Amino acid sequence: MNTELELGLERRIGKRSAAVVEKHLGITTVGGLLNYFPRRYLSRGELTPISEVPLDEEVTLIARVISNTTRQMRARRGSLTDVVISDDAGTSPGGVPGTLKISFFNGYRAKAELQPGRRAMFSGKVTRYGGALGLTNPDFLLLDEDPDAPGMDPEKLAAMPIPVYPATAKLTSWSIQKVISTLLDTVDLDALDDPLPAGISAREKFLPMPQAYRLIHAPQTPEDWRRARDRFRYQEALVLQSALARRRAQLAAEEATARRPVPDGLLAAFDRQLPFTLTAGQAAVGKTLSGELSQDGPMNRLLQGEVGSGKTIVALRAMLQVVDAGGQAALLAPTEVLAAQHFDSIRRTLGPLASDGLLGGLGDHTVQVSLLTGSMSTAARKQALLDAASGTAGIVIGTHALLSDNVSFYDLGLIVVDEQHRFGVEQRDALRTKASKPPHLLVMTATPIPRTVAMTVFGDLETSVLDELPAGRAPITTHVVGLAENPGWASRIWSRSREEIDAGHQVYVVCPKIGTDDDGDFTPGEAEPAPGDLEGDAAARELASVTAVVEQLREEPALAGVPLAPLHGRQDPLLKSETMASFTANETKLLVSTTVIEVGVDVHNATLMVILDADRFGISQLHQLRGRVGRGGLPGTCLLVTALEPGHPSRRRLDAVAATTDGFELSQEDLKLRREGDILGASQSGGRSTLKLLRVLEHEDIIARARQDAQEIVGGDPSLADHPALAEAIEDYLNPEKEAFLERG
Ligand code: ADP
Ligand code: MG
């Protein structure tokens, strides 16, 4: 056992340093700090050239001071020291030597030390003021004074990489480097057990672990850190995949009830009355599901499908097979709106096969469908609970309410989780406890995801893909409406809406907020942070809100006489379902809502989707929202309205969404544009850590190899008794609370 890794930091670096590290990095153990890896390494050729510093990012620069001026501020007390720096000659080969202005408020040390001609290392966040990029109150270190400073010796600097740690304003990268250097001197690295099996290390020609720890923190050459990082990256992949392999093995070893198809049951009757033919993909996936449901080991399958590819029918057919075999099926939706919509549309699709609970005699080919949500009236809820528990309800549709303790089933055979983006392993497990034997499980993703993401995020599930849309699907055209460059388009949006409505169609208008003073319609964990958001930005302009936009549109001449209604998560549930019903019935022509309509909502007559302040949403959200139109054979249009300037980083997402309707392509793009941690951090893999060295898009081959290795290791040693260090690393991965690895920056 690697007790050394669990050891309190104070034992190895002293009380004072340990306290500082805990305070600023949240790290308390030897292992935590050893595994706090540099985010990148700088060498002369790799420093950020000043001419290319990225807005809003922490950068480290080595530069020479050109000028230093200090003046008293007029508006408030204190002084402002402006320092202009310039790239060292040769720092950016072929690049333009840039200059950058740095401002220090009350920067007495800066005023005294940063004299023209001095060289220093600067580290801080790039901000924009007065049109130009700059740094405000950065940390700096004179290179020719501090003998410990990295990059002190110009000769050495040319070759020696400088590690850059995820730093905070209070604890700089080089302070972290110094503490870790002490740690490397005091910890007996050679005594540590290696989580990587020797065979794998030999095959991959990895550095031995102690050496890898030394070189990842204190490399002499770029080759050093590359080799060290390769090793830890693979280790990360193996730990993750072993955790998943172990879970797969555990799931597979369970015993489930086989639900074999019956020759003349509900499913057969349903297929006969289906108003369309299944796509080839739907038929193929249907066959896979049917086969797995017929076995006495549990199905654990992920169904990925493009928005509108027809996942619901596939799920419904699986549910009917289970009902035919005498079991019950539960369908779990992420929102009440979606649960209610599924309830309505599934009963409609079933037609005469859905019983209303009054008939349902023996030998009758019908199934009762029940709805169970948190906001139902007590009486309706009681009835639904009773029907689930007695087995009267063959199909139970609901929200998270299905997870609560008082819900029980007579014989739950299949759980379908729809549009899952926000359902972690814990919730899946909570549902599985609702059956005496583990039920079969089908998880459906809201948007398609790249293969390696599926392997990582849903690595405990087998995967099926629906990659074609049903024939006759009308195309969706997407436009970015930039109000910054074309203010006049603001009113054009509403006359365009009027045209749709006059043509007999309907319009969605989506806003990022409910009211004028709230943060949006997000339940915790639902919000997708919009990357690249500028705080000052949001404060400067009022974002579109449902209440304000409804008021505005009621006054809008172009929309005079148009029945419109608001819809958002804070409304009374009854009002919500009435509003939705009125929109579905084509009485309400224009719906102003939050992202409550993001997933699954299916109103065929809607043809125009207007998304206000679209830059506030993530790529997959926008793709989902857009998927709400163009459903009924009528061509759809989506307008992504933004007030941001054309070159703004957040507009790249809008351009990406406008450029393609291919969900797989978009999810790749999404991952590239945002930090992966945001996606993986949602913890669907069972662990809560974000990945440190592994990038799911870049390292596909590593992930695939590690998956293979993990499969073999776990296959031969299911309890990992012969791989204690690996088992321990998995525990650390699964319970990161033991050590808060704070990813900063
Ligand atoms: P999603 O995969 O996004 O959940 P849905 O299951 O909501 O998609 O299906 C979208 C629409 O396509 C529904 O109205 C459904 O009835 C319809 N549909 C599903 N399969 C087919 C098919 N094979 N042919 C024609 N329409 C279909
Ligand atoms: Mg759906």
Side-chain angles (χ1 to χ4, degrees):
M1 278 283 126
N2 279 322
T3 44
E4 179 76 20
L5 294 179
E6 310 277 308
L7 203 64
L9 260 181
E10 68 284 353
R11 304 276 294 278
R12 291 291 176 261
I13 61 171
K15 261 210 172 93
R16 267 191 45 203
S17 297
V20 171
V21 169
E22 175 169 11
K23 176 157 179 232
H24 296 294
L25 303 180
I27 293 174
T28 57
T29 63
V30 166
L33 192 56
L34 262 187
N35 288 305
Y36 195 74
F37 295 150
R39 186 167 48 196
R40 59 203 163 100
Y41 302 83
L42 301 177
S43 58
R44 272 178 93 79
E46 292 168 1
L47 287 167
T48 316
I50 284 180
S51 54
E52 291 167 20
V53 289
L55 180 64
D56 256 1
E57 276 183 32
E58 298 280 342
V59 294
T60 301
L61 309 161
I62 292 181
R64 200 171 289 282
V65 177
I66 307 263
S67 68
N68 181 328
T69 51
T70 297
R71 59 190 158 87
Q72 292 303 311
M73 285 186 290
R74 252 171 292 152
R76 31 176 183 150
R77 279 158 60 101
S79 67
L80 189 66
T81 300
D82 283 332
V83 174
V84 177
I85 58 169
S86 165
D87 284 302
D88 273 8
T91 295
S92 46
V96 200
T99 57
L100 193 73
K101 190 163 102 176
I102 308 181
S103 300
F104 296 91
F105 294 101
N106 296 330
Y108 306 112
R109 195 167 72 90
K111 183 184 174 191
E113 294 182 358
L114 292 175
Q115 290 305 312
R118 302 302 292 268
R119 253 174 96 248
M121 194 171 187
F122 299 89
S123 165
K125 191 167 175 181
V126 181
T127 51
R128 184 206 300 271
Y129 50 85
L133 298 184
L135 303 176
T136 304
N137 288 350
D139 286 304
F140 67 93
L141 186 66
L142 286 179
L143 291 183
D144 40 359
E145 257 180 13
D146 182 345
D148 292 334
M152 167 56 209
D153 179 346
E155 289 280 293
K156 259 194 183 164
L157 175 62
M160 210 158 96
I162 306 165
V164 180
Y165 289 91
T168 68
K170 292 278 163 53
L171 193 62
T172 61
S173 175
W174 47 88
S175 316
I176 298 172
Q177 192 183 340
K178 278 188 217 169
V179 182
I180 291 182
S181 144
T182 308
L183 186 68
L184 291 174
D185 289 341
T186 52
V187 170
D188 183 4
L189 293 172
D190 298 301
L192 295 180
D193 282 336
D194 191 346
L196 277 191
I200 294 178
S201 282
R203 182 194 73 202
E204 303 277 337
K205 303 194 176 58
F206 284 142
L207 291 173
M209 190 167 74
Q211 200 188 349
Y213 270 123
R214 279 182 210 109
L215 294 185
I216 202 161
H217 289 296
Q220 302 291 310
T221 67
E223 179 65 12
D224 284 348
W225 62 255
R226 284 200 190 98
R227 291 198 61 196
R229 213 176 50 179
D230 284 350
R231 182 206 201 279
F232 287 117
R233 176 176 291 145
Y234 194 86
Q235 181 174 322
E236 185 171 2
L238 186 72
V239 168
L240 175 63
Q241 292 300 333
S242 299
L244 293 167
R246 208 177 49 172
R247 189 175 151 90
R248 276 200 308 276
Q250 283 160 356
L251 292 177
E254 290 178 336
E255 220 180 279
T257 308
R259 312 284 179 172
R260 297 192 184 83
V262 301
D264 211 7
L266 279 165
L267 178 55
F270 178 74
D271 282 347
R272 277 196 301 274
Q273 70 168 49
L274 209 58
F276 44 68
T277 35
L278 297 176
T279 65
Q282 284 173 320
V285 173
K287 213 166 162 192
T288 306
L289 300 187
S290 174
E292 287 184 346
L293 292 172
S294 307
Q295 289 171 1
D296 45 20
M299 172 173 89
N300 282 288
R301 189 161 282 276
L302 171 71
L303 175 57
Q304 290 204 57
E306 185 56 86
V307 179
S309 60
K311 295 184 286 289
T312 317
I313 293 289
V314 173
L316 181 55
R317 293 185 66 248
M319 292 194 271
L320 290 176
Q321 173 170 334
V322 169
V323 172
D324 275 339
Q328 292 169 288
L331 172 62
L332 202 66
T335 63
E336 298 222 341
V337 169
L338 191 53
Q341 168 125 13
H342 269 317
F343 178 65
D344 291 340
S345 79
I346 283 181
R347 280 196 314 177
R348 216 177 324 120
T349 314
L350 285 171
L353 300 178
S355 78
D356 53 13
L358 295 175
L359 299 166
L362 271 180
D364 183 10
H365 265 358
T366 63
V367 54
Q368 185 184 318
V369 184
S370 293
L371 178 68
L372 186 68
T373 65
S375 64
M376 281 168 37
S377 73
T378 318
R381 219 180 123 71
K382 256 197 176 142
Q383 188 59 50
L385 284 172
L386 203 64
D387 289 349
S390 67
T392 311
I395 296 176
V396 181
I397 299 173
T399 54
H400 291 68
L402 281 183
L403 297 175
S404 61
D405 282 340
N406 60 357
V407 180
S408 62
F409 291 85
Y410 179 70
D411 180 14
L412 183 57
L414 169 67
I415 296 166
V416 179
V417 181
D418 188 26
E419 309 290 5
Q420 98 111 277
H421 229 143
R422 292 138 193 167
F423 249 76
V425 164
E426 295 86 356
Q427 279 109 335
R428 298 209 289 261
D429 282 346
L431 259 179
R432 286 154 39 83
T433 63
K434 300 277 174 208
S436 47
K437 273 186 180 181
H440 300 282
L441 174 69
L442 177 65
V443 174
M444 307 199 281
T445 55
T447 37
I449 50 179
R451 195 175 77 98
T452 41
V453 178
M455 256 185 210
T456 315
V457 182
F458 299 101
D460 55 339
L461 307 174
E462 311 291 332
T463 304
S464 297
V465 176
L466 281 183
D467 49 12
E468 65 187 313
L469 296 184
R473 208 40 78 73
I476 302 174
T477 320
T478 306
H479 302 284
V480 177
V481 179
L483 298 181
E485 63 271 34
N486 293 298
W489 285 357
S491 60
R492 177 77 189 104
I493 296 167
W494 308 124
S495 43
R496 180 78 181 70
S497 303
R498 182 59 189 242
E499 288 161 22
E500 285 306 320
I501 292 163
D502 285 346
H505 306 145
Q506 288 163 282
V507 178
Y508 291 105
V509 177
V510 176
C511 307
K513 296 202 315 175
I514 297 175
T516 40
D517 51 12
D518 63 45
D519 303 325
D521 192 15
F522 302 123
T523 51
E526 222 176 274
E528 263 185 88
D533 273 351
L534 308 180
E535 282 164 28
D537 217 57
R541 64 198 167 86
E542 186 62 47
L543 294 172
S545 70
V546 173
T547 47
V549 169
V550 164
E551 272 174 40
Q552 180 204 335
L553 295 188
R554 290 209 163 113
E555 303 298 315
E556 170 63 46
L559 295 175
V562 168
L564 54 91
L567 178 73
H568 59 74
R570 242 184 265 152
Q571 281 168 329
D572 181 79
L574 196 64
L575 178 61
K576 262 191 292 189
S577 53
E578 279 171 12
T579 304
M580 211 47 226
S582 152
F583 191 66
T584 309
N586 196 6
E587 290 155 15
T588 295
K589 299 291 180 180
L590 186 148
L591 192 66
V592 182
S593 77
T594 54
T595 51
V596 287
I597 58 146
E598 178 187 339
V599 287
V601 169
D602 195 25
V603 176
H604 287 194
N605 195 44
T607 50
L608 178 63
M609 164 72 57
V610 178
I611 306 177
L612 299 176
D613 289 314
D615 48 272
R616 305 303 292 189
F617 301 99
I619 284 186
S620 67
Q621 263 184 318
L622 292 172
H623 183 57
Q624 274 294 317
L625 285 168
R626 165 172 68 179
R628 302 307 113 218
V629 294
R631 299 203 139 220
L634 302 164
T637 306
C638 174
L639 303 180
L640 305 174
V641 185
T642 177
L644 294 181
E645 301 287 332
H648 194 286
S650 290
R651 273 190 64 163
R652 295 228 305 268
R653 293 200 304 279
L654 307 189
D655 295 335
V657 173
T660 179
T661 49
D662 182 327
F664 279 95
E665 207 176 294
L666 276 176
S667 63
Q668 296 259 7
E669 193 60 32
D670 195 12
L671 274 171
K672 274 188 228 150
L673 287 181
R674 59 202 241 149
R675 289 167 49 89
E676 293 180 38
D678 295 339
I679 291 184
L680 298 173
S683 150
Q684 318 230 324
S685 52
R688 236 182 234 103
S689 308
T690 53
L691 297 179
K692 294 204 288 185
L693 297 173
L694 205 58
R695 295 290 167 263
V696 284
L697 288 184
E698 269 169 63
H699 304 126
E700 178 161 0
D701 54 331
I702 295 177
I703 293 173
R705 249 181 307 155
R707 187 176 173 89
Q708 181 75 33
D709 284 338
Q711 189 67 38
E712 276 166 32
I713 294 171
V714 172
D717 178 19
S719 66
L720 293 179
D722 299 334
H723 298 81
L726 179 59
E728 200 180 347
I730 292 174
E731 288 327 305
D732 286 346
Y733 169 76
L734 294 178
N735 299 307
E737 298 83 47
K738 272 167 67 182
E739 182 64 79
F741 295 110
L742 294 188
E743 266 277 353
R744 309 250 178 165

